[in-house]
Amino acid sequence: MKPAADSDLFRSDDGRVEVVFDLDELSESRMKLVANAALAALDAEHAGGPDRITVMITGDERIRELNREFMGEDEVTDVLSFSEPGNKPVNEAPGAAVSSDNNDTWPDISGADEVESDRLGDIAISLPQVVRQAAENGKPTDRELAMLTVHGVLHLLGYDHAGVEDEKVMFGKTDVVLAELFGE
């Protein structure tokens, strides 16, 4: 699946992170925030290998469609991560999910026609869900958006939060990256 024809693209200076969005408007500062959050997570936790990712900022309808098609859950979610087919997680976390090598089931949100050897994967984030969660948690929307971006990158790197210990590790790493990103 490629982004909608009317989506826009922002690329980090080093070219490792692309931010695409299919919403009416996404400010340049938010696109930079997403790219910087993804880069901060990669720089903090990536040990080597593929390091290019695409982050799609989308709406509830699109994230629900992706969640239904690829995760089997017919509901809106905040973030989904899709490892590039054939990539093994850098982190050997127990239960780390790696997507199938079957490209027919791979959601190509990057727009690439073929698998690129330097691609780590893709992340999809629902901006309306980010806004709702930020309000519920009493946090700024930008912080929630950055947190979900980091969370998605950590999933691409093989981290999971299925168990209590895994959750402590993953969310601890998220907090460290966010503190660095926001200068705390």
Side-chain angles (χ1 to χ4, degrees):
M1 274 178 238
K2 296 182 180 177
D6 58 349
S7 68
D8 285 303
L9 171 74
F10 176 85
R11 191 171 276 116
S12 65
D13 290 340
D14 66 3
R16 291 188 295 161
V17 177
E18 293 177 336
V19 180
V20 296
F21 62 96
D22 59 2
L23 305 171
D24 289 340
E25 184 177 315
L26 189 65
S27 69
E28 186 172 342
S29 65
R30 282 224 168 120
M31 288 185 282
K32 285 182 181 179
L33 172 68
V34 169
N36 288 339
L39 288 170
L42 285 170
D43 290 345
E45 294 298 324
H46 192 265
D51 68 348
R52 290 192 52 230
I53 64 171
T54 299
V55 182
M56 179 174 68
I57 308 299
T58 192
D60 287 342
E61 185 177 317
R62 179 76 165 143
I63 201 92
R64 182 177 185 168
E65 174 187 307
L66 290 169
N67 200 20
R68 179 177 51 245
E69 185 173 347
F70 296 100
M71 306 303 282
E73 298 186 24
D74 190 13
E75 61 188 22
V76 172
T77 190
D78 50 8
V79 60
L80 295 170
S81 296
F82 302 96
S83 296
E84 188 73 18
N87 281 352
K88 302 294 182 221
V90 175
N91 173 46
E92 294 299 328
V98 180
S99 65
S100 161
D101 287 335
N102 180 352
N103 286 334
D104 293 336
T105 63
W106 175 243
D108 181 13
I109 64 174
S110 71
D113 291 331
E114 56 187 61
V115 175
E116 300 172 37
S117 62
D118 60 348
R119 287 196 52 73
L120 183 61
D122 296 328
I123 300 166
I125 299 173
S126 168
L127 189 57
Q129 183 67 17
V130 168
V131 171
R132 287 189 295 272
Q133 285 178 190
E136 289 169 12
N137 299 328
K139 295 182 180 177
T141 300
D142 284 351
R143 180 147 185 116
E144 188 77 7
L145 181 59
M147 186 275 296
L148 290 170
T149 302
V150 170
H151 186 90
V153 171
L154 290 176
H155 273 303
L156 292 179
L157 294 173
Y159 291 95
D160 201 352
H161 48 84
V164 174
E165 288 305 311
D166 292 336
E167 183 176 318
K168 285 180 186 176
V169 169
M170 187 171 182
F171 285 95
K173 289 183 179 294
T174 301
D175 290 343
V176 168
V177 173
L178 290 174
E180 175 81 18
L181 184 65
F182 288 103
E184 300 170 349

